[in-house]
Amino acid sequence: MPSFIWQRIDRAPLGAEQLLGFNVLRLDLIHGLAPGNKIFKLEPCIADAKAKGFRRLLSFGGAWSNHLHALAALGQRHGLATVGVVRGEPDAPLTATLAEAQAAGMQLHYLSRTAYRQRHDRVFQRQLLARYGPAYLIPEGGDCLLGASGCMAIGEELVRQMPSGASIILPVGTGTTLAGIVASLGPAYRVIGISALKGALDTASRVQRHLDQIGHSRDRAAWEICHDYHCGGFARAPVELREFLLSMEQSSAIPLEPVYSAKALLAAQKLLAAGQLDRSKPLVFIHTGGLQGRRGFDWLSDPGSVLQ
Ligand SMILES: *Cc1c(COP(=O)(O)O)cnc(C)c1O
């Protein structure tokens, strides 16, 4: 059981005062090797792989993938080999993320953008496993039932700290983390996921599928996925987001990155400003980590602040 770290936002830049009083769950500060939400999804998968006798894990991601970065670190810690199937060209310069994954023992297999689209295809997966297997395949982003179940521990922490309910905001990619959190919360909680992707309109149905599979019948938290705050698409960082990130970091002393955490916090501020979030319950922002990916943004590159 990890010990969770909380921080209150007690300073915010001009124009973002709505965020004062937010309770931030700093997942970015726990599990030094693999900080953030990924470890909650990956540990149950790794345990399952080990129980089934696998010695190698295979998964998918981009060149700055938090998921592959965490998988490489955790695989190494568990003494398991890892294969990262990467969207990108092998002759592109190695990103800091992939260099560290490789240094942790991960074998990299590159796919063109077109080929990468087949990553969910069973036949294609079998071909990869025929080449790199036997290996335990973890879907991109840890988007599987075990991954979602692992994130229930985050929801249980919310119940411990805010037993009479809360309004919770977090960034969403696949929705796996949100599903696990919702699965452990009752109707006194409201969970709002801010999609970091443009047009990923099937996210809610994927979340619902995880919830159905996790089962149990009691009433659950109200939840929704907002699609209006992707800032132009995955990994896009328009000026408004950059300025928000830099000023918010400076006043709150909470490090952010543009792909997930800054987007979701900017969305929280806008939702509050528009009166779409009620303040009668404690407000929670879940910092899901991802700070290693800051290095993918030239305007942010400051290694000292990234490699804590
Ligand atoms: C992967 C990731 C997410 C998205 O998590 P999902 O479970 O895919 O929704 C959010 N924030 C950060 C920092 C991540 O690395």
Side-chain angles (χ1 to χ4, degrees):
M1 189 57 179
S3 50
F4 289 93
I5 298 168
W6 288 84
Q7 179 176 347
R8 240 179 126 75
I9 298 184
D10 48 20
R11 287 187 60 206
L14 226 60
E17 294 87 352
Q18 285 95 350
L19 295 174
L20 292 171
F22 249 93
N23 302 284
V24 182
L25 179 55
R26 298 281 309 269
L27 300 183
D28 61 304
L29 285 180
I30 58 177
H31 298 296
L33 263 180
N37 62 338
K38 296 297 184 283
I39 191 168
F40 294 90
K41 303 193 264 187
L42 287 172
E43 283 289 355
C45 298
I46 292 174
D48 188 45
K50 280 179 148 177
K52 291 178 172 154
F54 285 97
R55 313 281 331 263
R56 185 178 292 126
L57 310 164
L58 180 143
S59 196
F60 306 85
W64 294 100
S65 166
N66 297 324
H67 169 69
L68 289 183
H69 194 261
L71 181 69
L74 294 174
Q76 185 179 43
R77 185 164 82 193
H78 284 275
L80 298 174
T82 51
V83 179
V85 179
V86 179
R87 182 187 58 230
E89 304 299 334
D91 46 5
L94 208 56
T95 60
T97 301
L98 293 180
E100 281 168 12
Q102 204 171 52
M106 180 174 267
Q107 184 181 358
L108 302 176
H109 173 87
Y110 288 88
L111 291 178
S112 69
R113 281 181 178 270
T114 321
Y116 192 80
R117 287 197 200 109
Q118 298 172 272
R119 66 197 177 280
H120 304 301
D121 181 271
R122 288 290 151 100
V123 176
F124 182 71
Q125 291 179 349
R126 269 205 293 279
Q127 288 166 0
L128 281 172
L129 291 176
R131 175 153 175 198
Y132 292 104
Y136 183 94
L137 189 144
I138 300 174
E140 182 187 47
D143 183 11
C144 56
L145 179 59
L146 283 172
S149 309
C151 294
M152 291 179 71
I154 305 169
E156 286 154 14
E157 167 67 5
L158 296 170
V159 173
R160 269 193 300 277
Q161 299 300 329
M162 277 118 194
S164 45
S167 296
I168 299 146
I169 295 201
L170 74 156
V172 159
T174 62
T176 316
T177 305
L178 180 137
I181 291 172
V182 169
S184 49
L185 297 177
Y189 299 83
R190 179 180 175 202
V191 183
I192 300 171
I194 308 299
S195 181
L197 296 100
K198 184 175 175 176
L201 298 178
D202 64 339
T203 310
S205 61
R206 291 154 74 145
V207 169
Q208 191 56 54
R209 203 175 55 226
H210 287 314
L211 289 172
D212 294 343
Q213 287 181 331
I214 292 174
H216 70 79
S217 53
R218 69 181 169 83
D219 285 347
R220 285 200 169 118
W223 62 273
E224 68 207 88
I225 311 279
C226 285
H227 293 281
D228 300 332
Y229 302 100
H230 53 68
C231 296
F234 191 69
R236 296 285 168 83
V239 172
E240 182 192 24
L241 180 66
R242 295 182 192 202
E243 287 177 354
F244 172 78
L245 184 154
L246 294 171
S247 62
M248 193 65 213
E249 263 189 354
Q250 200 171 30
S251 43
S252 71
I254 297 173
L256 299 167
E257 46 70 50
V259 183
Y260 292 105
S261 50
K263 259 182 205 181
L265 202 52
L266 178 58
Q269 189 243 314
K270 290 185 170 179
L271 286 167
L272 277 167
Q276 288 171 22
L277 256 184
D278 82 272
R279 281 190 166 274
S280 63
K281 295 227 165 104
L283 292 170
V284 173
F285 178 75
I286 302 184
H287 193 319
T288 45
L291 296 175
Q292 68 84 24
R294 284 173 60 107
R295 298 171 296 182
F297 297 87
D298 288 342
W299 54 278
L300 268 178
S301 47
D302 171 10
S305 69
V306 179
L307 306 166
Q308 309 163 15

